[in-house]
Every structure is written in C-alpha cells, then in structure tokens.
Amino acid sequence: MNRAMKPLAYYAHSSMRQGNQIEVPIPYTIMGFDMPVFLSFEDIYEFINLQEISANCILVYMRYLEELCRINGQAEKFVFVSPSLISPVRTDTEDAGRRERADNLLSFLRDAPKERLYLVPHNRGRHWVLGVIDPWEDLVLYFDPLREKKCDDFTELMNMALTDWKITIGEGIRRRRDCKIKFSNRPCPLQEGSVECGYFILGFMRDIVLNGIDALESKQFYTSEDLDLIRGEWSGH
C-alpha cells in the first residue's frame, strides 16, 4: 500500500466501518454552489484498493487540483466541472435529463474568457472519460483511456451546451444547426485493466494542469508509481 495512504486506511477501518463519513467541502467553482461531499467507508476502501471509484472521489481530487492552480497562478486558466452535474443518471429520460445537464454546463460557460479551458469528467456508464472544452475555439477535446469512439450522450451534451452559449453571447448564431462544434479524440495513456479509468481521468487532469494538453500524447500508459502518486495526493488532501 502507498505509504501516504496508510493513515487514511487505518482511520477508515477503525472509525468508518459503522457508517461514519468524512465530510469534504467542495467550492461553488466546481459545483456551482458551495456544498460538501461525504466519503463513505466504501469510497475509501475502493480508492485504496484500486477498484472502481465514485464521482465523490473525483470531486475531492478536483478540489485539490483547483487549489494547486490557485497556488501556481493558474486559477483563471482552468475550470473544473463536477461530473455529478453533467453525467447521466439512471432516472434520466434521454431528452429531459440531457437538457438539464446541458444547462448545468452552460452555467459554467456564461462568462468564459478567452483561453480558459473547462475540464469535464463524464461517466458514460461505468466508464470515465474526460472532456476539455475550449469554448472560444468551438472545440471539445476527448480523452478516453480505452481509446473508444466518443459516446452519443457526450457529443449531444456538448453540442447543446456550446451552441446555447454561442447564441447567448451573440456570435451571430441564431439557430442550433448553424453552430459547428469540433470534436477531437486525443491520444492519451491506455488503461490495461477494467477498473482503472477513474484514476486515469485524475491523471489526465493533473498532467494537463501541470504540463499542458500535449503532455498526454507522449505517454502510452501510467505506471503503478504514477497511480500511487495520484492516490497519495488524494489521500493527503
């Protein structure tokens, strides 16, 4: 086990197995409003043991990355959008659910300055992918650790939100069909197992923030040391 995770593992086993939770405040810049998330014993156990991870675990790391951006003077360059606001849920009807999720994303884009990037983890059904939006370039970058074709829900969601944004800012677009959003499947490290996708998405966001978009193209995979580093940062935060 990663040495940095041992105190958290000890606390989880000694104090959380009876239902106690860890409260982590998530700022409005990620959720659209201030609210906490509550990590359960299952969340901690799954993260420690490299099992499938929840949106709450991703939110905690996004909080860490946002603080890192602030320290590095990049607070205006990156925005992290909560996956719980834009990923589909089982109760969604296809159109109604997507419309609400597109409006959630639009609320983040409204005052977008040029050169700001929006990092948007998306769960396409027990598999995490990452979208990076450059709204002023009409561009959505798509990073999938399985390197599969982007899913229809993701494409439709991005089209709805970005088209409405362009209409809102008065770009001369009056009809949705006149707006052409560009999608780009980008090279990124490839996951070899079946459950690591969430950790890869954390790594993708970390690499983009620290080293830029092109940093992912030079990596074919993440090593166990890479994943340990990410989990150590997560647990220490």
Side-chain angles (χ1 to χ4, degrees), residues 12-21 41:
H13 280 278
S14 63
S15 303
M16 298 181 67
R17 302 192 73 169
Q18 303 305 316
N20 293 335
Q21 297 180 317
F41 173 78

Side-chain angles (χ1 to χ4, degrees), residues 34-233:
D34 289 311
M35 69 162 289
V37 298
F38 295 90
L39 297 176
S40 66
F41 173 78
E42 288 74 19
D43 289 324
I44 304 296
Y45 180 87
E46 289 165 356
F47 199 88
I48 289 172
N49 290 283
L50 272 175
Q51 298 179 9
E52 293 182 41
I53 59 173
S54 66
N56 281 352
C57 291
I58 289 179
L59 278 168
V60 170
Y61 197 72
M62 292 172 85
R63 176 178 180 263
Y64 162 73
L65 289 177
E66 186 183 68
E67 291 182 0
L68 186 63
C69 286
R70 193 177 303 116
I71 293 170
N72 292 340
Q74 295 178 299
E76 295 301 315
K77 185 174 182 180
F78 298 104
V79 170
F80 302 90
V81 180
S82 166
S84 62
L85 296 176
I86 56 92
S87 295
V89 296
R90 292 179 183 177
T91 56
D92 279 349
T93 60
E94 182 174 352
D95 293 333
R98 189 177 296 143
R99 176 70 270 170
E100 181 179 354
R101 291 183 285 120
D103 288 343
N104 289 339
L105 181 54
L106 177 62
S107 68
F108 283 84
L109 297 171
R110 290 194 187 281
D111 299 317
K114 292 185 178 179
E115 299 185 1
R116 176 179 286 176
L117 298 178
Y118 294 78
L119 280 63
V120 186
H122 181 267
N123 193 302
R124 53 181 294 176
R126 301 195 68 177
H127 179 58
W128 288 101
V129 298
L130 178 68
V132 179
I133 305 172
D134 188 342
W136 286 97
E137 294 296 328
D138 305 330
L139 178 63
V140 179
L141 307 179
Y142 186 74
F143 298 89
D144 182 351
L146 289 179
R147 301 180 187 172
E148 295 180 344
K149 181 180 178 181
K150 59 185 177 295
C151 65
D152 291 340
D153 180 76
F154 178 87
T155 302
E156 291 300 320
L157 178 70
M158 296 296 132
N159 273 321
M160 290 175 72
L162 284 168
T163 299
D164 287 351
W165 175 74
K166 291 187 73 66
I167 292 172
T168 299
I169 64 172
E171 280 278 291
I173 302 294
R174 296 184 180 275
R175 299 174 299 178
R176 287 184 173 84
R177 67 185 183 187
D178 294 333
C179 187
K180 305 297 182 183
I181 306 301
K182 303 183 290 289
F183 289 86
S184 176
N185 285 50
R186 297 298 293 264
C188 58
L190 176 66
Q191 73 177 80
E192 298 178 340
S194 59
V195 298
E196 305 102 319
C197 54
Y199 307 92
F200 274 58
I201 297 311
L202 304 185
F204 293 173
M205 291 191 291
R206 183 183 192 277
D207 278 339
I208 289 169
V209 165
L210 293 180
N211 304 305
I213 294 287
D214 294 339
L216 293 177
E217 296 187 9
S218 62
K219 292 187 177 182
Q220 294 299 312
F221 54 88
Y222 283 142
T223 65
S224 58
E225 288 78 13
D226 292 326
L227 298 182
D228 279 348
L229 174 62
I230 292 165
R231 293 191 300 145
E233 291 174 335

Side-chain angles (χ1 to χ4, degrees), residues 1-39:
M1 180 187 298
N2 185 317
R3 180 181 301 176
M5 300 199 74
K6 287 184 177 181
L8 180 60
Y10 176 79
Y11 177 79
H13 280 278
S14 63
S15 303
M16 298 181 67
R17 302 192 73 169
Q18 303 305 316
N20 293 335
Q21 297 180 317
I22 297 175
E23 180 179 344
V24 182
I26 303 297
Y28 75 93
T29 47
I30 294 175
M31 288 295 299
F33 45 86
D34 289 311
M35 69 162 289
V37 298
F38 295 90
L39 297 176

